[in-house]
Amino acid sequence: TFNIQHLTCHTQLIASIEKTDVVGIDTEFITMPFYRSKLEVIQVSTQDILAVVDYRYAVGTPMRHLLKALWDKEVRRETSIAP
């Protein structure tokens, strides 16, 4: 597990996403003390890597690269709600 803010980790994550067919994504939002939900963390997994992306540190270029890598992937939504 690594944080995307480190350039080498960011490069590894993007490369792993680009070469795989299956990518797992989970998001965490914070609602208090805000009126709207605010994105805090994005968890990304491939067969090779599990990454925790702190949105506050990835805004800008790192986030654009992540979204570009994910853009062409087939989306299949599976949700589970913890008890």
Side-chain angles (χ1 to χ4, degrees):
T1 303
F2 56 79
N3 188 312
I4 197 170
Q5 121 185 53
H6 302 291
L7 182 58
T8 57
C9 297
H10 173 259
T11 304
Q12 290 172 338
L13 176 60
I14 300 304
S16 183
I17 291 170
E18 288 175 342
K19 75 177 183 179
T20 190
D21 294 329
V22 178
V23 179
I25 300 174
D26 182 41
T27 54
E28 303 292 332
F29 290 83
I30 187 170
T31 56
M32 292 295 188
F34 309 103
Y35 292 104
R36 294 183 186 174
S37 297
K38 198 172 167 188
L39 181 61
E40 281 292 307
V41 173
I42 304 168
Q43 299 166 42
V44 181
S45 64
T46 67
Q47 296 168 333
D48 304 325
I49 289 178
L50 172 61
V52 177
V53 180
D54 185 335
Y55 181 74
R56 293 174 297 167
Y57 295 108
V59 171
T61 301
M63 188 56 66
R64 280 195 299 272
H65 290 165
L66 176 62
L67 294 175
K68 185 176 183 232
L70 293 169
W71 187 257
D72 291 329
K73 299 296 176 185
E74 177 183 345
V75 175
R76 183 176 61 196
R77 184 176 180 177
E78 296 181 16
T79 27
S80 61
I81 299 175

